[in-house]
Amino acid sequence: AYDSIQRYVKHWKEKHRLAQSKAFIPLEFDPGDAMQFDWSLEHVVIGGVSQTVKVAHFRLSYSRKPFIVAFPREQIEMVLEAHNYAFAYYGGVSKRIIYDNPKTMVVRIGTGKDRDFHPRFLALMNHYLVNPVACTPASGWEKGQVENQVNVLRNQLFKPQLRFKSFTDLNSHLLACCQTLGNKAHPQFKDKGIDEVFNQERHAL
């Protein structure tokens, strides 16, 4: 009967909606398990011209080791190049990388964690054997470490406004800043520095 089917469908929807709501990304990480990624928009002066730049932020979730690199825009070529720079800097890759849902990487958002990734981005992930994990929409806390990094480094590194002759000079400066940030105390392992924990994690990458 029609009403029997209605009751069944209603029950099925409620059951599966509950199952979807329980999907989450754990906030504790093992060495080499995960890395988090985000973009930020910053204002700098390059060659005497004031302009906005896109800064790619990476953060190893266990050691908290940061890496940032700036680009003129956010395009797929720059997404791929940012990852190549980060993997070279860390000397390896984590098992998975946690993302928001940027259009340069995600072409379709399905239910739960179902995503269709940009084919060129997915080819890079497959090449490095990395599992890309997209956050639930409007759930930035799932990659809260790197979101916090964006806010902290904006105040620490981009104020007052940076001035450089070229992007190469800018990124050399940002790389040196990343090295310095590694000397800070680890927020979880209070008796160790970030670089000390990173040297332990490096073997698991």
Side-chain angles (χ1 to χ4, degrees):
Y2 181 77
D3 59 342
S4 300
I5 295 175
Q6 274 191 317
R7 287 194 300 271
Y8 176 83
V9 170
K10 181 181 178 181
H11 175 72
W12 187 92
K13 284 184 176 180
E14 290 176 350
K15 178 181 176 182
H16 286 76
R17 188 180 300 118
L18 181 62
Q20 289 175 14
S21 68
K22 291 182 178 178
F24 70 99
I25 295 177
L27 299 182
E28 292 187 4
F29 304 91
D30 294 326
D33 173 41
M35 186 186 302
Q36 299 180 20
F37 173 89
D38 203 359
W39 286 106
S40 74
L41 185 67
E42 309 299 343
H43 302 277
V44 300
V45 177
I46 302 291
V49 179
S50 181
Q51 55 188 283
T52 57
V53 298
K54 296 304 292 278
V55 178
H57 288 255
F58 294 83
R59 189 179 185 90
L60 283 171
S61 301
Y62 178 76
S63 65
R64 312 298 210 275
K65 180 73 170 175
F67 174 75
I68 59 175
V69 59
F71 293 92
R73 292 171 297 281
E74 180 186 345
Q75 295 176 321
I76 186 61
E77 292 82 6
M78 296 169 190
V79 169
L80 305 181
E81 191 71 358
H83 282 74
N84 284 327
Y85 283 142
F87 297 161
Y89 177 74
Y90 290 129
V93 300
S94 56
K95 294 177 183 176
R96 56 201 177 105
I97 305 179
I98 304 169
Y99 300 92
D100 214 334
N101 293 277
K103 294 181 180 178
T104 46
M105 303 180 203
V106 178
V107 296
R108 186 190 70 86
I109 300 176
T111 56
K113 296 296 181 185
D114 179 35
R115 299 291 185 276
D116 286 343
F117 290 100
H118 189 291
R120 291 180 64 189
F121 170 72
L122 193 58
L124 182 80
M125 295 291 99
N126 290 337
H127 174 76
Y128 284 107
L129 303 179
V130 177
N131 179 29
V133 179
C135 291
T136 305
S139 299
W141 57 266
E142 293 183 353
K143 58 177 182 62
Q145 285 187 23
V146 75
E147 293 218 351
N148 180 64
Q149 174 178 301
V150 166
N151 294 326
V152 170
L153 295 191
R154 173 173 291 136
N155 292 319
Q156 289 185 358
L157 305 185
F158 293 94
K159 294 180 182 180
Q161 193 175 48
L162 296 178
R163 296 174 177 269
F164 288 95
K165 292 181 179 180
S166 66
F167 266 92
T168 300
D169 292 339
L170 169 60
N171 282 322
S172 294
H173 169 74
L174 295 179
L175 179 61
C177 291
C178 289
Q179 304 282 24
T180 302
L181 290 168
N183 297 326
K184 291 191 173 185
H186 193 280
Q188 182 179 357
F189 307 110
K190 306 291 186 180
D191 59 333
K192 297 179 180 179
I194 288 175
D195 275 347
E196 185 179 355
V197 180
F198 169 65
N199 287 331
Q200 297 172 356
E201 181 174 29
R202 188 188 307 226
H203 301 289
L205 297 178

